[in-house]
Coordinates of all heavy atoms in Angstrom, one line a residue:
M14 N 88.5 99.5 118.3 CA 90.0 99.1 118.2 C 90.7 100.2 117.4 O 90.3 100.6 116.3 CB 90.1 97.8 117.6 CG 91.5 97.3 117.4 SD 91.5 95.6 116.8 CE 93.2 95.6 116.2
I15 N 91.8 100.7 117.9 CA 92.6 101.7 117.2 C 93.6 101.0 116.3 O 94.3 100.1 116.7 CB 93.3 102.6 118.2 CG1 92.3 103.3 119.1 CG2 94.3 103.6 117.5 CD1 92.9 104.1 120.2
E16 N 93.6 101.4 115.0 CA 94.5 100.8 114.1 C 95.9 101.4 114.2 O 96.0 102.6 114.3 CB 94.0 101.0 112.6 CG 94.8 100.3 111.6 CD 94.2 100.3 110.2 OE1 93.0 100.3 110.1 OE2 95.0 100.4 109.3
Q17 N 96.9 100.6 114.3 CA 98.3 101.0 114.4 C 98.8 101.4 113.1 O 98.5 100.8 112.1 CB 99.2 100.0 115.1 CG 98.8 99.6 116.5 CD 99.6 98.5 117.0 OE1 99.8 97.5 116.4 NE2 100.1 98.7 118.3
P18 N 99.7 102.4 113.0 CA 100.4 102.8 111.7 C 101.2 101.6 111.2 O 101.7 100.8 112.0 CB 101.2 104.0 112.1 CG 100.8 104.4 113.4 CD 100.1 103.3 114.1
S19 N 101.3 101.6 109.9 CA 102.1 100.5 109.3 C 103.6 100.6 109.7 O 104.1 101.7 109.9 CB 102.0 100.7 107.8 OG 102.8 99.8 107.1
I20 N 104.2 99.4 109.8 CA 105.6 99.4 110.1 C 106.4 99.7 108.8 O 107.4 100.4 108.8 CB 106.0 98.0 110.6 CG1 105.4 97.8 112.0 CG2 107.5 97.9 110.7 CD1 105.5 96.4 112.5
I21 N 105.9 99.1 107.7 CA 106.5 99.3 106.4 C 106.0 100.7 105.8 O 104.8 101.0 105.8 CB 106.1 98.2 105.4 CG1 106.8 96.9 105.9 CG2 106.5 98.5 104.0 CD1 106.4 95.7 105.1
N22 N 106.9 101.4 105.2 CA 106.6 102.7 104.7 C 106.5 102.6 103.1 O 107.4 102.7 102.4 CB 107.8 103.7 105.0 CG 107.5 105.1 104.5 OD1 106.6 105.4 103.7 ND2 108.3 106.0 104.9
L23 N 105.3 102.3 102.7 CA 105.0 102.1 101.3 C 105.2 103.4 100.5 O 105.6 103.3 99.3 CB 103.6 101.6 101.0 CG 103.3 100.1 101.5 CD1 101.9 99.7 101.3 CD2 104.3 99.1 100.9
D24 N 105.0 104.5 101.1 CA 105.3 105.8 100.4 C 106.8 105.9 100.0 O 107.1 106.4 99.0 CB 104.8 107.0 101.2 CG 103.3 107.1 101.3 OD1 102.6 106.5 100.4 OD2 102.8 107.6 102.3
A25 N 107.7 105.4 100.9 CA 109.1 105.4 100.6 C 109.4 104.5 99.4 O 110.2 104.9 98.6 CB 109.9 105.0 101.9
L26 N 108.8 103.4 99.4 CA 109.0 102.5 98.3 C 108.5 103.2 97.0 O 109.2 103.2 96.0 CB 108.2 101.2 98.5 CG 108.4 100.1 97.4 CD1 108.1 98.7 98.0 CD2 107.5 100.3 96.2
R27 N 107.3 103.7 97.0 CA 106.8 104.4 95.8 C 107.6 105.6 95.3 O 107.8 105.8 94.1 CB 105.4 104.8 96.1 CG 104.4 103.7 96.2 CD 103.0 104.2 96.4 NE 102.1 103.1 96.7 CZ 101.5 102.8 97.9 NH1 101.8 103.6 98.9 NH2 100.8 101.8 98.1
A28 N 108.2 106.3 96.3 CA 109.0 107.5 95.9 C 110.4 107.2 95.5 O 111.1 108.1 94.9 CB 109.0 108.5 97.1
T29 N 110.9 106.0 95.8 CA 112.3 105.7 95.4 C 112.4 105.4 93.9 O 111.7 104.5 93.4 CB 112.7 104.4 96.2 OG1 112.7 104.8 97.6 CG2 114.2 104.0 95.9
P30 N 113.4 106.0 93.2 CA 113.5 105.7 91.8 C 114.1 104.3 91.6 O 114.9 103.8 92.4 CB 114.6 106.7 91.4 CG 114.7 107.7 92.5 CD 114.2 107.1 93.7
L31 N 113.6 103.7 90.5 CA 114.0 102.4 90.2 C 115.4 102.5 89.5 O 115.5 103.2 88.5 CB 113.0 101.7 89.2 CG 113.2 100.3 88.8 CD1 113.1 99.3 90.0 CD2 112.2 99.9 87.8
N32 N 116.3 101.7 89.9 CA 117.6 101.6 89.3 C 117.5 100.4 88.3 O 117.0 99.4 88.6 CB 118.7 101.3 90.3 CG 118.9 102.4 91.3 OD1 119.4 103.5 91.0 ND2 118.5 102.2 92.5
N33 N 118.1 100.6 87.1 CA 117.9 99.6 86.1 C 119.3 98.9 85.7 O 119.3 98.0 84.8 CB 117.3 100.1 84.8 CG 115.8 100.4 85.1 OD1 115.1 99.4 85.4 ND2 115.4 101.6 84.9
S34 N 120.4 99.3 86.3 CA 121.6 98.7 85.9 C 122.4 98.2 87.1 O 122.4 99.0 88.1 CB 122.5 99.8 85.2 OG 123.7 99.3 84.8
P35 N 122.8 97.0 87.1 CA 122.9 96.1 86.0 C 121.6 95.3 85.9 O 121.4 94.5 84.9 CB 124.0 95.2 86.4 CG 124.0 95.2 87.9 CD 123.5 96.6 88.3
F36 N 120.6 95.5 86.7 CA 119.3 94.9 86.7 C 118.4 95.8 87.5 O 118.8 96.6 88.3 CB 119.3 93.5 87.3 CG 120.0 93.4 88.6 CD1 119.4 93.8 89.8 CD2 121.4 93.0 88.7 CE1 120.1 93.8 91.0 CE2 122.0 93.0 89.9 CZ 121.4 93.3 91.1
P37 N 117.1 95.6 87.4 CA 116.1 96.5 88.2 C 116.2 96.2 89.7 O 116.2 95.1 90.1 CB 114.8 96.1 87.6 CG 115.0 95.5 86.3 CD 116.3 94.8 86.4
F38 N 116.5 97.3 90.4 CA 116.5 97.1 91.9 C 116.2 98.5 92.6 O 116.2 99.5 91.9 CB 117.9 96.6 92.4 CG 119.0 97.6 92.2 CD1 119.4 98.3 93.3 CD2 119.7 97.8 91.0 CE1 120.5 99.3 93.2 CE2 120.8 98.7 90.9 CZ 121.1 99.4 92.0
L39 N 116.0 98.4 93.9 CA 115.7 99.5 94.7 C 116.6 99.5 95.9 O 116.9 98.4 96.5 CB 114.2 99.5 95.2 CG 113.1 99.6 94.2 CD1 111.8 99.4 94.9 CD2 113.1 101.0 93.5
V40 N 117.0 100.7 96.4 CA 117.6 100.9 97.7 C 116.7 101.9 98.4 O 116.7 103.1 98.0 CB 119.0 101.4 97.6 CG1 119.6 101.6 99.0 CG2 119.9 100.4 96.9
I41 N 115.9 101.4 99.3 CA 114.8 102.2 99.9 C 115.2 102.7 101.3 O 115.3 101.9 102.2 CB 113.5 101.4 100.0 CG1 113.1 100.8 98.7 CG2 112.4 102.3 100.6 CD1 112.0 99.8 98.8
G42 N 115.4 104.0 101.4 CA 115.7 104.6 102.7 C 114.4 104.6 103.5 O 113.3 104.9 103.0
N43 N 114.5 104.3 104.8 CA 113.3 104.4 105.7 C 112.2 103.5 105.3 O 111.0 103.8 105.5 CB 112.9 105.9 105.9 CG 113.9 106.8 106.4 OD1 114.6 106.5 107.4 ND2 114.2 107.9 105.7
F44 N 112.5 102.3 104.7 CA 111.5 101.4 104.4 C 110.7 100.9 105.6 O 109.5 100.7 105.6 CB 112.1 100.2 103.6 CG 111.1 99.2 103.1 CD1 110.1 99.6 102.2 CD2 111.2 97.9 103.6 CE1 109.2 98.6 101.8 CE2 110.2 97.0 103.1 CZ 109.2 97.3 102.2
L45 N 111.4 100.7 106.7 CA 110.8 100.3 108.0 C 110.8 101.6 108.8 O 111.8 102.3 108.9 CB 111.6 99.2 108.7 CG 111.7 97.9 108.0 CD1 112.4 96.9 108.8 CD2 110.3 97.4 107.5
R46 N 109.7 102.0 109.3 CA 109.6 103.2 110.1 C 110.5 103.1 111.4 O 110.4 102.1 112.1 CB 108.2 103.5 110.5 CG 107.3 103.7 109.3 CD 105.9 104.1 109.6 NE 105.0 104.0 108.5 CZ 104.8 104.9 107.6 NH1 105.5 106.0 107.6 NH2 104.0 104.7 106.6
A47 N 111.3 104.1 111.6 CA 112.3 104.2 112.6 C 111.7 103.9 114.0 O 112.3 103.3 114.9 CB 113.0 105.5 112.6
E48 N 110.5 104.4 114.2 CA 109.9 104.3 115.6 C 109.6 102.8 116.0 O 109.3 102.5 117.1 CB 108.6 105.1 115.7 CG 107.5 104.8 114.7 CD 107.5 105.6 113.4 OE1 108.5 106.1 113.0 OE2 106.4 105.8 112.9
Y49 N 109.7 101.9 115.0 CA 109.5 100.5 115.3 C 110.8 99.7 115.5 O 110.7 98.5 115.8 CB 108.6 99.8 114.2 CG 107.2 100.3 114.2 CD1 106.8 101.2 113.3 CD2 106.3 99.8 115.2 CE1 105.4 101.6 113.3 CE2 105.0 100.3 115.2 CZ 104.6 101.2 114.2 OH 103.3 101.6 114.2
A50 N 111.9 100.3 115.3 CA 113.2 99.6 115.3 C 113.4 98.9 116.6 O 113.8 97.7 116.6 CB 114.3 100.6 115.0
D51 N 113.3 99.5 117.7 CA 113.6 98.9 119.0 C 112.6 97.7 119.2 O 113.0 96.6 119.7 CB 113.5 99.9 120.1 CG 114.6 100.8 120.1 OD1 115.7 100.5 119.5 OD2 114.5 101.9 120.8
A52 N 111.3 97.9 118.9 CA 110.3 96.8 119.2 C 110.6 95.6 118.3 O 110.4 94.5 118.7 CB 108.9 97.4 119.0
I53 N 110.9 95.9 117.0 CA 111.2 94.8 116.1 C 112.4 94.0 116.6 O 112.4 92.8 116.7 CB 111.5 95.3 114.7 CG1 110.2 95.8 114.1 CG2 112.0 94.2 113.8 CD1 110.3 96.6 112.8
G54 N 113.5 94.7 117.0 CA 114.7 94.1 117.6 C 114.4 93.3 118.8 O 114.9 92.1 118.9
A55 N 113.5 93.8 119.7 CA 113.2 93.1 120.9 C 112.4 91.8 120.6 O 112.5 90.8 121.3 CB 112.5 94.0 121.9
D56 N 111.5 91.9 119.6 CA 110.6 90.8 119.2 C 111.2 89.8 118.2 O 110.6 88.8 117.9 CB 109.3 91.3 118.7 CG 108.4 92.0 119.7 OD1 108.8 91.9 120.9 OD2 107.4 92.5 119.3
F57 N 112.4 90.1 117.7 CA 113.0 89.2 116.7 C 113.3 87.9 117.3 O 113.7 87.8 118.5 CB 114.4 89.9 116.3 CG 114.8 89.5 114.9 CD1 114.3 90.2 113.8 CD2 115.6 88.4 114.7 CE1 114.7 89.8 112.5 CE2 116.0 88.0 113.4 CZ 115.5 88.7 112.3
P58 N 113.1 86.8 116.6 CA 113.3 85.5 117.1 C 114.8 85.2 117.4 O 115.7 85.7 116.7 CB 112.8 84.5 116.1 CG 112.8 85.3 114.8 CD 112.6 86.7 115.2
S59 N 115.1 84.5 118.5 CA 116.4 84.1 118.8 C 116.7 82.8 118.0 O 116.1 81.8 118.2 CB 116.6 83.8 120.3 OG 117.9 83.3 120.6
I60 N 117.7 82.9 117.1 CA 118.1 81.7 116.3 C 119.6 81.4 116.6 O 120.4 82.1 116.1 CB 117.8 81.9 114.8 CG1 116.3 82.3 114.7 CG2 118.2 80.7 114.0 CD1 116.0 82.8 113.3
P61 N 119.9 80.4 117.4 CA 121.2 80.2 117.9 C 122.1 79.4 116.9 O 123.2 79.0 117.2 CB 121.1 79.4 119.1 CG 119.8 78.6 118.9 CD 118.9 79.5 118.1
F62 N 121.7 79.3 115.6 CA 122.5 78.6 114.6 C 122.3 79.2 113.3 O 121.4 80.0 113.1 CB 122.1 77.1 114.6 CG 120.6 76.9 114.5 CD1 119.9 76.9 113.2 CD2 119.8 76.7 115.6 CE1 118.6 76.7 113.1 CE2 118.4 76.6 115.5 CZ 117.8 76.6 114.3
R63 N 123.1 78.8 112.3 CA 123.0 79.4 111.0 C 122.1 78.6 110.1 O 121.8 77.5 110.4 CB 124.4 79.4 110.3 CG 125.4 80.4 110.9 CD 126.7 80.3 110.2 NE 127.5 79.4 111.1 CZ 128.6 78.8 110.8 NH1 129.1 78.9 109.6 NH2 129.2 78.0 111.6
G64 N 121.6 79.2 109.1 CA 120.7 78.5 108.1 C 119.4 79.2 108.0 O 119.1 80.2 108.6
S65 N 118.6 78.6 107.1 CA 117.3 79.1 106.9 C 116.3 78.4 107.8 O 116.3 77.2 108.0 CB 116.9 78.8 105.4 OG 115.6 79.3 105.1
V66 N 115.5 79.2 108.5 CA 114.6 78.6 109.6 C 113.2 79.1 109.3 O 112.9 80.3 109.2 CB 115.0 79.1 111.0 CG1 114.1 78.5 112.0 CG2 116.5 78.8 111.2
P67 N 112.3 78.1 109.1 CA 110.9 78.5 108.9 C 110.3 79.3 110.1 O 110.7 78.9 111.3 CB 110.1 77.2 108.7 CG 111.2 76.2 108.5 CD 112.4 76.7 109.1
L68 N 109.5 80.3 109.9 CA 108.9 81.0 111.0 C 108.1 80.1 112.0 O 108.0 80.4 113.2 CB 108.1 82.2 110.5 CG 108.9 83.3 109.9 CD1 107.9 84.4 109.3 CD2 109.8 84.0 110.9
T69 N 107.6 79.1 111.5 CA 106.8 78.1 112.3 C 107.7 77.4 113.3 O 107.2 76.8 114.3 CB 106.1 77.1 111.4 OG1 107.1 76.4 110.6 CG2 105.1 77.7 110.5
Q70 N 109.0 77.5 113.2 CA 109.9 76.8 114.1 C 110.5 77.7 115.1 O 111.4 77.2 115.9 CB 111.0 76.1 113.2 CG 110.5 75.1 112.2 CD 109.7 74.0 112.8 OE1 110.2 73.3 113.8 NE2 108.5 73.8 112.3
V71 N 110.2 79.0 115.1 CA 110.7 79.9 116.1 C 109.6 80.7 116.8 O 108.5 80.8 116.3 CB 111.7 80.9 115.4 CG1 113.0 80.1 114.9 CG2 111.1 81.7 114.3
Q72 N 110.0 81.3 117.9 CA 109.1 82.1 118.7 C 109.5 83.6 118.5 O 110.7 83.9 118.6 CB 109.0 81.7 120.2 CG 108.5 80.3 120.4 CD 108.4 80.0 121.9 OE1 109.1 80.6 122.7 NE2 107.6 79.0 122.2
Y73 N 108.5 84.4 118.4 CA 108.8 85.8 118.2 C 107.6 86.7 118.8 O 106.5 86.1 119.0 CB 109.1 86.2 116.8 CG 108.1 85.6 115.8 CD1 106.9 86.3 115.5 CD2 108.4 84.4 115.2 CE1 106.0 85.8 114.6 CE2 107.5 83.9 114.3 CZ 106.3 84.6 114.0 OH 105.4 84.0 113.1
G74 N 107.9 87.9 118.9 CA 106.9 88.8 119.5 C 105.9 89.4 118.6 O 106.0 89.3 117.3
E75 N 105.0 90.2 119.1 CA 103.9 90.8 118.4 C 104.4 91.8 117.3 O 103.8 91.7 116.2 CB 103.0 91.5 119.3 CG 101.8 92.2 118.7 CD 101.0 92.9 119.7 OE1 100.9 92.5 120.9 OE2 100.3 93.9 119.3
T76 N 105.3 92.6 117.5 CA 105.8 93.6 116.5 C 106.4 92.9 115.4 O 106.2 93.2 114.2 CB 106.7 94.7 117.1 OG1 106.0 95.3 118.2 CG2 107.0 95.8 116.1
F77 N 107.3 91.9 115.6 CA 107.9 91.1 114.6 C 106.8 90.4 113.8 O 106.9 90.4 112.5 CB 108.9 90.1 115.1 CG 109.7 89.4 114.1 CD1 110.8 89.9 113.5 CD2 109.2 88.1 113.6 CE1 111.4 89.3 112.5 CE2 109.9 87.4 112.7 CZ 111.0 88.0 112.1
A78 N 105.8 89.9 114.4 CA 104.7 89.2 113.7 C 104.0 90.2 112.8 O 103.6 89.8 111.7 CB 103.7 88.6 114.7
R79 N 103.8 91.4 113.3 CA 103.1 92.4 112.4 C 104.0 92.7 111.2 O 103.5 92.9 110.1 CB 103.0 93.7 113.2 CG 101.7 93.8 114.1 CD 101.5 95.1 114.8 NE 101.4 96.2 113.8 CZ 101.9 97.4 113.9 NH1 102.4 97.8 115.1 NH2 101.8 98.3 113.0
L80 N 105.3 92.8 111.4 CA 106.2 93.0 110.3 C 106.1 91.9 109.2 O 106.0 92.2 108.0 CB 107.7 93.2 110.8 CG 108.7 93.3 109.6 CD1 108.4 94.5 108.8 CD2 110.1 93.3 110.3
V81 N 106.1 90.7 109.7 CA 106.0 89.5 108.8 C 104.6 89.6 108.0 O 104.6 89.4 106.8 CB 106.1 88.2 109.6 CG1 105.7 87.0 108.7 CG2 107.5 88.0 110.1
G82 N 103.6 90.0 108.7 CA 102.3 90.1 108.1 C 102.3 91.2 107.0 O 101.8 91.0 105.9
E83 N 103.0 92.3 107.3 CA 103.0 93.4 106.3 C 103.9 93.0 105.1 O 103.6 93.4 104.0 CB 103.6 94.7 106.9 CG 102.6 95.3 107.9 CD 103.0 96.6 108.5 OE1 103.8 97.3 107.8 OE2 102.6 96.9 109.6
L84 N 105.0 92.2 105.4 CA 105.8 91.8 104.3 C 105.1 90.8 103.4 O 105.4 90.7 102.2 CB 107.1 91.1 104.8 CG 108.1 92.0 105.5 CD1 109.2 91.3 106.2 CD2 108.7 93.0 104.4
N85 N 104.1 90.1 103.9 CA 103.3 89.2 103.1 C 102.0 89.8 102.6 O 101.1 89.1 102.1 CB 103.0 87.9 104.0 CG 104.2 87.1 104.1 OD1 104.9 86.7 103.2 ND2 104.5 86.7 105.4
S86 N 101.8 91.1 102.8 CA 100.5 91.7 102.5 C 100.3 92.0 101.0 O 101.2 92.1 100.2 CB 100.4 93.0 103.3 OG 101.3 94.0 102.7
A87 N 99.0 92.0 100.7 CA 98.6 92.4 99.3 C 99.1 93.8 99.0 O 99.5 94.1 97.9 CB 97.1 92.3 99.1
A88 N 99.1 94.7 100.0 CA 99.5 96.1 99.7 C 100.9 96.2 99.3 O 101.2 96.9 98.3 CB 99.2 96.9 101.0
L89 N 101.8 95.5 99.9 CA 103.2 95.5 99.5 C 103.4 94.8 98.2 O 104.1 95.3 97.3 CB 104.1 94.8 100.6 CG 105.6 94.7 100.2 CD1 106.2 96.1 100.0 CD2 106.3 93.9 101.3
R90 N 102.7 93.7 97.9 CA 102.8 93.0 96.7 C 102.4 94.0 95.5 O 103.1 94.1 94.5 CB 101.9 91.8 96.6 CG 102.1 90.9 95.3 CD 101.1 89.8 95.1 NE 99.9 90.5 94.5 CZ 98.7 90.5 95.0 NH1 98.5 89.9 96.2 NH2 97.7 91.1 94.4
V91 N 101.3 94.7 95.7 CA 100.8 95.6 94.7 C 101.8 96.7 94.5 O 102.1 97.1 93.3 CB 99.4 96.2 95.0 CG1 99.0 97.3 94.2 CG2 98.4 95.1 94.9
A92 N 102.4 97.3 95.5 CA 103.3 98.4 95.4 C 104.6 97.9 94.6 O 105.1 98.6 93.8 CB 103.7 98.9 96.8
I93 N 105.0 96.7 94.9 CA 106.2 96.1 94.2 C 105.8 95.9 92.7 O 106.6 96.2 91.8 CB 106.7 94.8 94.8 CG1 107.3 95.2 96.2 CG2 107.7 94.1 94.0 CD1 107.6 94.0 97.1
E94 N 104.6 95.3 92.5 CA 104.2 95.1 91.1 C 104.2 96.4 90.3 O 104.6 96.5 89.1 CB 102.8 94.5 91.1 CG 102.7 93.1 91.5 CD 101.3 92.5 91.5 OE1 100.3 93.3 91.7 OE2 101.2 91.3 91.4
E95 N 103.6 97.5 90.9 CA 103.6 98.8 90.2 C 105.0 99.3 90.0 O 105.3 99.8 88.9 CB 102.8 99.8 91.1 CG 101.3 99.4 91.1 CD 100.5 100.3 92.1 OE1 101.1 101.0 92.9 OE2 99.2 100.1 92.1
K96 N 105.8 99.2 91.0 CA 107.2 99.8 90.8 C 108.0 99.1 89.7 O 108.7 99.7 88.9 CB 107.9 99.7 92.2 CG 109.4 100.2 92.1 CD 109.5 101.7 91.7 CE 109.0 102.6 92.8 NZ 109.3 104.0 92.5
F97 N 107.9 97.8 89.7 CA 108.7 97.0 88.7 C 107.9 96.7 87.4 O 108.4 96.0 86.5 CB 109.2 95.7 89.4 CG 110.3 95.9 90.3 CD1 110.0 96.2 91.7 CD2 111.6 95.9 89.9 CE1 111.0 96.4 92.6 CE2 112.6 96.1 90.8 CZ 112.4 96.4 92.2
A98 N 106.6 97.1 87.3 CA 105.8 96.9 86.2 C 105.7 95.4 85.8 O 106.1 94.9 84.7 CB 106.2 97.7 85.0
L99 N 105.4 94.6 86.8 CA 105.3 93.1 86.6 C 104.2 92.6 87.5 O 103.7 93.2 88.4 CB 106.6 92.4 87.0 CG 107.2 92.7 88.3 CD1 106.6 91.8 89.4 CD2 108.7 92.4 88.2
S100 N 103.8 91.3 87.3 CA 102.8 90.7 88.1 C 103.5 89.6 89.0 O 104.3 88.9 88.5 CB 101.8 89.9 87.2 OG 100.9 89.2 88.0
L101 N 103.1 89.6 90.2 CA 103.6 88.6 91.2 C 102.6 87.5 91.5 O 102.8 86.8 92.4 CB 104.0 89.3 92.5 CG 105.2 90.3 92.3 CD1 105.5 91.0 93.6 CD2 106.5 89.6 91.8
D102 N 101.5 87.5 90.7 CA 100.5 86.4 90.9 C 101.1 85.1 90.5 O 101.9 84.9 89.6 CB 99.3 86.7 90.0 CG 98.4 87.7 90.7 OD1 98.5 87.9 91.9 OD2 97.7 88.4 89.9

């Protein structure tokens, strides 16, 4: 099985300077790799109403599912912990 490149660009997160005013935050350019933009958009769930919707209540495609998995990954958690010098456990 061939492993696909990550959708999330952790190197961009690591390279982005931390802003501390008025609170610690990041603005990360190219956080999501551009080559996945169309596929994520095509796979995004159709939600015909406003509000917060659990992912278990909507249908979505494979690339969007991969994105959700990466957003919930240990690798992203560790990168955020390192950048903000905190524990998310």
Side-chain angles (χ1 to χ4, degrees):
M14 181 175 161
I15 298 173
E16 187 173 325
Q17 295 176 314
S19 175
I20 295 171
I21 292 176
N22 184 349
L23 291 178
D24 291 335
L26 184 153
R27 291 183 186 107
T29 299
L31 183 65
N32 297 290
N33 286 304
S34 181
F36 48 79
F38 72 96
L39 298 171
V40 177
I41 307 169
N43 302 310
F44 182 62
L45 301 180
R46 297 184 193 278
E48 60 266 28
Y49 291 103
D51 290 340
I53 291 169
D56 285 355
F57 206 88
S59 176
I60 304 171
F62 50 87
R63 288 179 266 166
S65 185
V66 181
L68 288 175
T69 57
Q70 301 300 308
V71 294
Q72 294 181 340
Y73 46 85
E75 180 181 330
T76 305
F77 185 84
R79 280 187 55 214
L80 174 60
V81 170
E83 290 184 29
L84 289 170
N85 287 311
S86 72
L89 179 58
R90 188 191 82 241
V91 168
I93 291 170
E94 287 177 334
E95 291 171 353
K96 179 59 75 173
F97 287 89
L99 55 80
S100 174
L101 296 176
D102 283 335

